[in-house]
């Protein structure tokens, strides 16, 4: 089975549609979204609709939780996050769907045990798993793959028992090159890789009210 695992779209419909177009020819059998559909950019409603059309399995991120009110939203941070404004543009049915997204998910596929989370297993919504995070904190006997988001920086590391993958960000990449990223897991071959996209930022930079 070929899985696409991605995260942190943050209302950036422009970059997300670039990803969707690239994915059409790649033959993915399942899509997993690790959270943060909203925040920073204004198209959260459209992003969540695209996730539904994609039939993606969706997890909750910290920005989604702030929108729902299950995490605090400091006013000074929302000057950048723009989450309160995003909430005003979400349909009631979209909010209801968002409330069903879990914080963590574990699957058994083709003999592999796989865990998905936005932050870290110890702190699913607000934890950060960087490339220099001690692997002992993320490793678990019997867990084959652990997928993370949150940091907007992709990486893959092999611990004693678990291959840990940070998928980076589709909507707001923050590493060298600032190229949207996602991960591909082949559950038959037991291989995982990070893939990059080339996205044109001009439509975002030239649109009024966008960050």
């Amino acid at each position: 089975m070929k899985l696409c695992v991605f995260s942190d779209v943050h209302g950036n419909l422009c970059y997300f549609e670039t990803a969707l177009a690239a994915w059409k020819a790649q033959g993915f059998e399942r899509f997993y979204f690790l959270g943060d559909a909203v925040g920073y950019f204004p198209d959260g409603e459209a992003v969540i609709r695209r996730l539904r059309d994609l039939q993606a399995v969706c997890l909750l991120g910290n920005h989604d939780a702030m929108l729902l009110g299950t995490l605090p939203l400091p006013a000074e941070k929302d000057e950048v996050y723009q989450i309160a404004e995003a909430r005003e543009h979400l349909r009631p049915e979209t909010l209801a769907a968002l409330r069903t997204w879990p914080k963590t998910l574990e699957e058994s596929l083709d003999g592999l045990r796989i865990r998905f989370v936005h932050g870290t297993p110890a702190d699913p919504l607000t934890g950060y798993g960087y490339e220099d995070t001690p692997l002992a904190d993320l490793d678990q006997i019997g867990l084959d793959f652990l997928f993370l988001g949150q940091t907007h920086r992709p990486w893959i590391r092999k611990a004693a028992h678990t291959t840990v993958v940070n998928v980076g960000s589709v909507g707001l990449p923050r590493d060298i090159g600032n190229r949207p990223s996602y991960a591909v897991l082949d559950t038959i071959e037991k291989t995982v890789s990070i893939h990059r996209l080339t996205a044109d930022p001009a439509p975002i930079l030239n649109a009024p009210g966008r960050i």
Side-chain angles (χ1 to χ4, degrees):
M1 183 176 293
K2 192 176 180 182
L3 313 182
C4 175
V5 190
F6 63 104
S7 189
D8 294 273
V9 178
H10 282 294
N12 187 343
L13 184 61
C14 176
Y15 277 22
F16 193 26
E17 288 188 333
T18 297
L20 292 171
W23 294 341
K24 282 184 178 179
Q26 295 191 40
F28 294 121
E29 294 168 82
R30 290 193 192 177
F31 294 87
Y32 290 84
F33 173 62
L34 305 187
D36 279 1
V38 301
Y40 295 109
F41 297 96
D43 293 321
E45 172 70 37
V47 165
I48 295 170
R49 286 204 306 269
R50 299 295 194 282
L51 288 167
R52 183 182 61 236
D53 294 343
L54 194 63
Q55 297 184 327
V57 178
C58 296
L59 274 66
L60 203 66
N62 58 313
H63 282 243
D64 309 317
M66 284 187 278
L67 184 143
L68 293 174
T70 54
L71 281 180
L73 176 58
E76 66 277 8
K77 289 190 176 181
D78 199 41
E79 291 179 7
V80 177
Y81 294 165
Q82 300 292 302
I83 290 172
E85 182 178 349
R87 186 189 298 119
E88 294 177 3
H89 293 91
L90 290 190
R91 299 175 182 178
E93 58 268 29
T94 303
L95 278 169
L98 200 59
R99 290 190 182 99
T100 68
W101 293 3
K103 295 178 184 178
T104 64
L105 176 70
E106 191 167 302
E107 301 263 50
S108 294
L109 300 170
D110 296 321
L112 296 177
R113 185 178 161 210
I114 309 164
R115 183 173 294 164
F116 305 89
V117 65
H118 180 71
T120 63
D123 190 351
L125 291 180
T126 61
Y128 287 85
Y130 289 106
E131 196 163 8
D132 59 355
T133 297
L135 280 180
D137 295 344
L138 303 172
D139 198 22
Q140 181 181 329
I141 296 174
L143 183 66
D144 297 292
F145 289 93
L146 170 63
F147 286 91
L148 316 171
Q150 177 82 309
T151 69
H152 300 213
R153 293 173 172 86
W155 51 266
I156 299 174
R157 295 175 68 195
K158 181 70 172 70
H161 308 97
T162 308
T163 298
V164 185
V165 184
N166 192 310
V167 303
S169 170
V170 166
L172 192 59
R174 288 176 175 157
D175 61 332
I176 296 173
N178 293 320
R179 295 176 63 197
S181 64
Y182 60 97
V184 176
L185 173 65
D186 188 321
T187 62
I188 301 299
E189 298 295 331
K190 298 178 174 54
T191 58
V192 66
S193 54
I194 297 292
H195 292 242
R196 300 282 192 160
L197 297 167
T198 299
D200 181 8
I204 301 167
L205 297 175
N206 295 332
R210 302 206 179 196
I211 298 171

